[in-house]
């Protein structure tokens, strides 16, 4: 149904376009029968955790798929980042983007490593290699770039800075499982890479993650550290933590891998529906996938240019959220504006102009296997309708916001 007048919009009292919310991050779930059968096997076997047969099988399949020597399955992506950066001896300062999920920065800060935020390239959401050199100090020990939205950052340029300065590189590839860079699978770059298999990710294990690397020594150390540092039954050789994945989680991951091609197909069909629906929408720029590469199409991200669209990103979000389109403004307001980083570096935003612009404009839209191209056609029609009436919609939203503020003022004074 088209929304032809602003009264039809749910935000102004109309009927929502969707009866239930459509999410960014609704899990991709493989064949339920096979998941349940695998879980039944786990229960029968009574090996629930501590690197059982399913975790080992998952590790082998991931390593084969990515083309690396080692995969260590983990309890989640955050712990995977913490363990691998620690195992690599990263300390003092590590350069990373602010335009990422806060776990990237927290994984460093948790170990008293200072995340030094690097701006993104203009028009891109990836760390700008030309800015890295300016941030390197005698305390810099490594780089933690993020392959955001399943697209790779400029790995060649980043690696060349790292090589030149003798820096360790770990890629946070939480979004990029099943994707490639220049034809080579993401996972095989830098000293190590990390995947997340959280419920919202392309491949999920409920919660989960992995470290992948070609470095034998590092793999051994990571494996020990994720299991309290135990080497055998009684001997502890490293400081360690519990970062293990369970067998039930691995069961989910294995079936997800079996069904991965169908997830890509569904995501790609959704992506194409968004491309078609938004191709001539003024002020809405879809962040495109490079289809020469392998892509998982898991994130649909748009940038809203308020000057062209006539409505801000936040206003558009308010309107479509009322229609049950549960879009997200990932990763607003940026790590540098979250605690403790905001207090530690109150002026960081001055060096992060492109990041700030991207964070003010970006919207992630619903996709995944639970969303169908027909739903997406409705979403894009809605967005086009809203933008056609953007002046009236924005004026009414702003009027309501001002009236509400005025209504609240006497109460505030009375208090
Ligand atoms: N690095 C990067 C770049 C990351 O993006 C992440 C995680 C990490 C590191 C750390 O990896 P993990 O330690 O998480 O393995 C979500 C996820 O919690 C987080 O894992 C993810 N990134 C981030 C991008 O998204 P929220 O706060 O947006 O999640 P939440 O719970 O609001 O989920 C999003 C939507 O998905 C919900 O509105 C509803 C839907 N949903 C979610 C879950 C969990 C479902 O339908 N079913 C579910 O079970 O952070």
């Amino acid at each position: 149904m088209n929304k032809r007048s602003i009264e039809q919009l749910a935000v102004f009292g109309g009927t929502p376009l969707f009866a239930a919310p459509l999410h960014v991050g609704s899990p991709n779930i493989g064949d339920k029968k096979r998941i349940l059968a695998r879980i039944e096997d786990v229960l029968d076997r009574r090996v629930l955790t501590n690197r059982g047969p399913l975790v080992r099988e998952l590790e082998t399949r991931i390593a084969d798929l990515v083309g690396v020597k080692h995969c260590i399955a983990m309890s989640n992506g955050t712990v995977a980042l913490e363990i691998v950066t620690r195992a690599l001896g990263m300390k003092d300062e590590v350069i990373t983007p602010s335009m990422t999920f806060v776990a990237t920065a927290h994984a460093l800060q948790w170990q008293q490593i200072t995340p030094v935020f690097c701006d993104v390239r203009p028009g891109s959401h990836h760390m700008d290699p030309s800015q890295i050199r300016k941030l390197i100090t005698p305390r810099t020990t490594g780089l933690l770039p993020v392959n955001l939205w399943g697209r790779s950052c400029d790995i060649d340029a980043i690696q060349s800075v790292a090589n030149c300065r003798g820096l360790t590189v770990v890629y946070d590839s939480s979004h990029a499982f099943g994707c490639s860079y220049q034809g080579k699978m993401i996972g095989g770059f830098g000293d190590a890479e990390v995947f997340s298999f959280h419920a919202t990710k392309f491949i999920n294990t409920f919660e989960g993650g992995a470290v992948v690397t070609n470095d034998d020594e590092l793999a051994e150390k990571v494996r020990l550290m994720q299991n309290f540092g135990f080497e055998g039954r009684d001997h502890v050789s490293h400081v360690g933590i519990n970062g293990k994945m369970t067998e039930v989680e691995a069961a989910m991951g294995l079936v997800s891998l079996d069904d991965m091609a169908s997830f890509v197909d569904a995501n790609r069909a959704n992506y194409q529906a968004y491309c078609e629906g938004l191709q001539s929408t003024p002020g809405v720029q879809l962040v495109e996938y490079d289809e020469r590469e392998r892509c998982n199409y898991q994130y649909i991200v748009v940038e809203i240019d308020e000057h062209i669209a006539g409505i801000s990103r936040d206003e558009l979000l308010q309107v479509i959220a009322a229609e049950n389109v549960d879009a997200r403004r990932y990763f607003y307001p940026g790590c540098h504006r979250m605690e403790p980083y905001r207090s530690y570096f109150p002026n960081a935003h001055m060096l992060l102009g492109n990041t700030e612009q991207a964070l003010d404009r970006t919207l992630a839209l619903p996709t995944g296997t639970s969303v169908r191209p027909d739903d997406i056609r409705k979403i894009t029609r809605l967005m086009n309708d809203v933008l056609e009436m953007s002046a009236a919609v924005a004026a009414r939203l702003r009027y309501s916001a001002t009236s509400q503020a005025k209504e609240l003022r006497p109460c505030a004074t009375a208090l």
Side-chain angles (χ1 to χ4, degrees):
M1 185 194 95
N2 278 52
K3 301 250 177 179
R4 288 286 175 221
S5 70
I6 67 169
E7 280 70 31
Q8 289 177 305
L9 294 173
V11 74
F12 302 127
T15 310
L17 187 60
F18 296 99
L22 292 187
H23 295 297
V24 172
S26 176
N28 297 329
I29 296 180
D31 185 274
K32 274 191 212 163
K33 276 196 185 131
R34 277 184 282 126
I35 296 170
L36 293 173
R38 286 243 187 208
I39 292 176
E40 216 171 322
D41 283 349
V42 170
L43 299 179
D44 290 346
R45 204 180 296 118
R46 290 177 189 263
V47 176
L48 305 186
T49 187
N50 287 5
R51 202 152 181 262
L54 297 192
V55 165
R56 287 200 300 269
E57 186 183 341
L58 183 70
E59 290 180 340
T60 305
R61 282 186 61 187
I62 291 171
D64 288 350
L65 196 142
V66 170
V68 291
K69 282 166 81 177
H70 306 282
C71 167
I72 302 105
M74 292 276 179
S75 51
N76 59 63
T78 310
V79 166
L81 283 169
E82 286 170 7
I83 292 180
V84 73
T85 49
R86 191 174 188 123
L88 278 162
M90 283 179 160
K91 57 186 170 93
D92 298 334
E93 291 177 3
V94 167
I95 299 171
T96 193
S98 172
M99 176 90 191
T100 179
F101 189 59
V102 72
T104 315
H106 279 352
L108 298 170
Q109 189 62 47
W110 193 256
Q111 307 173 69
Q112 309 297 318
I113 301 171
T114 304
V116 175
F117 296 122
C118 181
D119 206 4
V120 294
R121 246 187 198 149
S124 139
H125 295 171
H126 286 121
M127 199 154 116
D128 183 348
S130 72
Q131 297 298 313
I132 296 174
R133 283 176 205 274
K134 298 180 193 165
L135 301 172
I136 296 175
T137 72
R139 288 169 53 78
T140 309
T141 56
L143 309 178
L144 179 52
V146 180
N147 288 316
L148 202 69
W149 318 137
R151 295 148 175 99
S152 65
C153 44
D154 189 343
I155 290 178
D156 280 349
I158 288 173
Q159 204 57 53
S160 100
V161 178
N163 294 346
C164 192
R165 299 302 191 97
L167 298 173
T168 304
V169 189
V170 172
Y171 290 95
D172 179 345
S173 300
S174 292
H175 297 187
F177 186 73
C179 304
S180 68
Y181 169 72
Q182 296 184 355
K184 183 178 161 192
M185 292 306 280
I186 288 177
F189 296 96
D191 293 273
E193 299 203 38
V194 164
F195 296 122
S196 165
F197 301 128
H198 179 258
T200 55
K201 295 295 183 290
F202 169 59
I203 292 293
N204 87 81
T205 57
F206 304 110
E207 289 276 359
V211 170
V212 283
T213 182
N214 285 311
D215 181 333
D216 301 338
E217 218 173 291
L218 175 67
E220 179 60 14
K221 200 167 171 186
V222 167
R223 214 178 267 301
L224 293 173
M225 283 179 147
Q226 82 154 174
N227 186 26
F228 315 101
F230 268 111
E231 227 172 316
R233 285 203 169 173
D234 311 313
H235 179 64
V236 170
S237 58
H238 283 90
V239 63
I241 194 169
N242 183 352
K244 291 168 289 172
M245 179 183 276
T246 67
E247 286 290 277
V248 167
E249 289 169 329
M252 181 71 164
L254 285 163
V255 179
S256 298
L257 286 183
D258 294 341
D259 294 340
M260 183 169 145
S262 69
F263 298 168
V264 175
D265 288 347
N267 280 351
R268 190 196 290 117
N270 287 351
Y271 170 66
Q272 280 163 353
Y274 274 114
C275 288
E276 280 159 28
L278 297 174
Q279 62 186 338
S280 44
T281 310
V284 177
Q285 187 68 47
L286 188 73
V287 179
E288 290 178 357
Y289 284 92
D290 180 349
E291 303 225 39
R292 293 166 302 180
E293 300 289 353
R294 279 184 69 169
C295 306
N296 62 26
Y297 302 95
Q298 179 71 5
Y299 285 93
I300 301 292
V301 177
V302 291
E303 275 199 33
I304 313 298
D305 182 340
E306 180 176 354
H307 300 296
I308 301 173
I311 188 168
S312 71
R313 182 272 311 269
D314 288 354
E315 288 163 342
L316 181 61
L317 174 63
Q318 191 184 344
V319 173
I320 64 176
E323 306 287 348
N324 271 328
V325 178
D326 187 17
R328 299 292 293 262
R329 34 183 203 173
Y330 285 151
F331 285 107
Y332 182 84
C335 298
H336 67 288
R337 288 193 182 272
M338 295 177 178
E339 292 295 355
Y341 317 106
R342 191 172 61 162
S343 298
Y344 290 165
F345 321 113
N347 298 321
H349 61 278
M350 294 169 86
L351 294 171
L352 300 172
N354 298 324
T355 302
E356 291 250 306
Q357 174 165 313
L359 289 165
D360 282 345
R361 292 179 169 198
T362 303
L363 210 50
L365 296 169
T367 185
T369 51
S370 66
V371 183
R372 292 161 304 130
D374 272 353
D375 299 323
I376 287 161
R377 282 185 269 280
K378 284 190 197 164
I379 296 174
T380 57
R381 205 177 310 137
L382 168 70
M383 289 173 71
N384 282 303
D385 289 346
V386 173
L387 292 186
E388 264 173 39
M389 314 183 272
S390 62
V393 174
R396 178 127 166 216
L397 287 174
R398 288 167 202 177
Y399 177 76
S400 310
T402 319
S403 325
Q404 272 171 16
K406 276 188 188 147
E407 274 168 29
L408 286 175
R409 207 167 298 146
C411 303
T413 317
L415 284 171

